[in-house]
Amino acid sequence: MPRGAGGELAIEDAQTIRRATTAATLGNIAAWYDFGLYSYLAAIALDQVFFPDAGEWAAVLTLGTFAAAFVVRPLGGVVFGPLGDRIGRTRVLAATILLMSIATALLGVVPSYGAIGLAAPVLVLLIRLLQGFAAGGEYTGALTLIAEYAPDRRRGFLGSWLEFGTLVGYALGAGAAAVLVAVLPEGDMLAWGWRLPFVLALPLGVVGIYLRLRLEETPAFRQLMERSPAMASMALRRVFQILLTRCRSAALIAGGLVVAWNTTNYVLTNYVPTYLTRTLPGHGQGGASGALSTSLQVLVMLAMLCAITFVGRLSDRIGRKPILLTGSAALIALGLPAVQLLRAGLPGQVLGLLIMGFALLCFAAVTPSTLPALFPTFVRYGSLSIIFNVFVSAFAGTAPTIIGIAVTTTGNLDWPGYYLVGAGVVGLLSTLLIKEPAGRALQGAAPLTSSADLPAPPLSPDGVPMEYPHRS
């Protein structure tokens, strides 16, 4: 148990901190494995399985079912976020990962359009809506959990592990798609092969549920319940009232960071595979095969995985703002050239993807430790869930679909670059308004440190720690 319900220093066991970080990270891998898997299979198999008669619009419709999940994410955020502020983070997070795992496994058993006709894409749409509802409370809950368990001086490093899990999930999804393409003939891939990796999501989810249910509540939440147990019954209307009055500026800043971060993320991970395999060849440009596209994505993800925790640790030393400003500037200056490089053959595609990956890395490594610092404990989970999901759904998650429509209707292949530049501008303005949070205690919580960071206790003449005197 942490000590210090007010301003007194709170101390959390180092092993508990590691266990909490692992539980949030592994759960996040399971949650975003599906999102990565769906994105990469969309351009390889899913458009042909569920929209075989749609012609050039098949890819747009498949991406549209992906975007549908974002329609209900704000609803999931409204339900799960405030609930997490009332009954605790861990129980809500166990529920969200359970729902996402079940929905992903169900997606793997949906009959094809050829078997049941229009009912097939309708079922896919309903399952995606369930996934989106669960995702509305999943990511922000995991983000809150790690932030509230992390010592103040290491919140950037530990927070970056959450996005490490996201990248692993995306990489596993892309890797599974690449393996299937490499080992299966196209007929087997379309008939049954694409289903296997979706069904495999269920065991991943079970592991995440087990780890999360073993955790105690976070130090910040325990302090809150000790001081103000009545917060457990706070009405949802009161959450919105606080968000719109006391936290209005923080909400806008958080929303801007979410837009910059996630627009970059979804352009890179969700639109670019379709852009390389379908859009460019359809416009007479040199694209890439499905196998090559997924392999390039996996390489970029692996490069980000190698760097992300180092960037998170760096932010604990130099601050979050310099890294966020670097990512924003990279998008503004290089977003459009990065997209144009995708049309310049394999070397250009590698360089373009690396540029996008670098910009995304700057946001992904430090935003998980930046956003929770903007809100007080008693509305942190609820505020983050509402703000994150509203802005993701309205501006970022819909980006692949809107870009796909814009490119299809206008023939202009630079639309992804325009989106990246716009995201950079939003990120720059939002970052400039932040008060540097690195090294500071979270709002409404006592300063927190790890037992591993405490100085060694003085020893008695017999070599026994003074805190644990010898007893006969």
Side-chain angles (χ1 to χ4, degrees):
M1 291 286 290
R3 298 195 298 271
E8 182 184 347
L9 179 68
I11 303 168
E12 188 61 63
D13 179 66
Q15 185 176 358
T16 302
I17 294 172
R18 287 194 296 270
R19 191 165 64 245
T21 304
T22 301
T25 301
L26 290 180
N28 212 42
I29 291 173
W32 302 110
Y33 165 77
D34 162 68
F35 275 70
L37 182 64
Y38 190 95
S39 302
Y40 298 116
L41 287 179
I44 297 172
L46 299 185
D47 55 346
Q48 300 175 64
V49 172
F50 296 114
F51 302 99
D53 300 327
E56 67 175 354
W57 287 94
V60 174
L61 291 173
T62 308
L63 290 172
T65 59
F66 177 85
F70 294 91
V71 175
V72 295
R73 275 186 67 164
L75 177 60
V78 168
V79 172
F80 290 117
L83 187 63
D85 284 328
R86 292 199 294 271
I87 70 172
R89 290 40 168 144
T90 55
R91 283 183 285 177
V92 172
L93 280 170
T96 58
I97 192 61
L98 174 64
L99 284 177
M100 290 196 73
S101 300
I102 291 174
T104 303
L106 286 175
L107 190 58
V109 297
V110 174
S112 67
Y113 183 91
I116 60 173
L118 188 60
V122 170
L123 285 174
V124 172
L125 177 63
L126 292 175
I127 291 172
R128 292 295 301 165
L129 292 176
L130 176 60
Q131 289 172 321
F133 180 74
E138 163 60 31
Y139 186 80
T140 49
L143 185 149
T144 300
L145 182 79
I146 287 186
E148 291 183 348
Y149 259 114
D152 299 334
R153 293 192 302 172
R154 293 197 291 140
R155 189 167 292 116
F157 171 65
L158 294 177
S160 66
W161 280 98
L162 186 63
E163 276 303 291
F164 182 93
T166 299
L167 290 171
V168 169
Y170 274 120
L172 285 176
V179 169
L180 288 173
V181 170
V183 302
L184 290 179
E186 183 177 3
D188 289 343
M189 179 71 171
L190 296 177
W192 54 267
W194 66 270
R195 300 179 182 276
L196 297 179
F198 284 107
V199 176
L200 290 175
L202 197 56
L204 285 174
V206 170
V207 173
I209 294 166
Y210 171 75
L211 291 174
R212 288 177 176 183
L213 285 177
R214 292 184 63 212
L215 284 175
E216 295 182 13
E217 279 304 331
T218 67
F221 186 80
R222 281 177 274 163
Q223 293 166 27
L224 175 65
M225 290 297 101
E226 290 172 4
R227 295 195 307 269
S228 306
M231 290 295 179
S233 60
M234 184 169 59
L236 179 61
R237 181 175 62 182
R238 179 60 176 158
V239 176
F240 278 100
Q241 184 181 19
I242 293 170
L243 187 57
L244 295 175
T245 55
R246 292 177 52 182
C247 301
R248 184 166 49 200
S249 297
L252 292 175
I253 292 171
L257 290 177
V258 167
V259 168
W261 173 20
N262 284 275
T263 297
T264 308
N265 178 28
Y266 289 118
V267 168
L268 174 61
T269 60
N270 300 117
Y271 182 71
V272 166
T274 298
Y275 187 76
L276 289 173
T277 59
R278 292 280 192 269
T279 305
L280 291 182
H283 287 77
Q285 300 283 335
S289 66
L292 178 58
S293 174
T294 52
S295 298
L296 291 176
Q297 292 275 340
V298 169
L299 289 175
V300 172
M301 295 298 170
L302 290 176
M304 293 176 64
L305 279 173
C306 293
I308 193 165
T309 57
F310 293 98
V311 178
R313 190 189 297 273
L314 179 64
S315 77
D316 287 325
R317 297 180 179 179
I318 68 172
R320 323 284 189 234
K321 293 183 67 170
I323 296 172
L324 291 171
L325 290 172
T326 300
S328 300
L331 288 176
I332 294 171
L334 300 174
L336 184 57
V339 170
Q340 292 170 342
L341 282 168
L342 299 180
R343 308 198 290 268
L346 181 58
Q349 290 165 3
V350 171
L351 182 56
L353 288 173
L354 287 175
I355 291 172
M356 295 182 204
F358 171 77
L360 177 58
L361 176 67
C362 292
F363 288 102
V366 302
T367 311
S369 56
T370 304
L371 295 179
L374 296 172
F375 301 96
T377 302
F378 69 101
V379 291
R380 180 171 294 123
Y381 193 167
S383 297
L384 285 174
S385 293
I386 294 168
I387 294 301
F388 191 97
N389 291 296
V390 166
F391 279 84
V392 165
S393 299
F395 302 104
T398 56
T401 304
I402 294 175
I403 293 171
I405 293 172
V407 171
T408 302
T409 55
T410 67
N412 187 339
L413 296 173
D414 287 335
W415 272 102
Y418 301 152
Y419 250 79
L420 292 177
V421 172
V425 172
V426 173
L428 179 66
L429 295 176
S430 302
T431 303
L432 292 174
L433 296 174
I434 295 174
K435 182 178 180 180
E436 178 59 62
R440 298 174 179 268
L442 294 173
Q443 292 186 51
L448 180 64
T449 191
S450 166
S451 60
D453 296 330
L454 297 177
L459 303 178
S460 71
D462 296 329
V464 178
M466 297 297 290
E467 284 82 356
Y468 306 101
H470 175 71
R471 295 182 181 181
S472 59

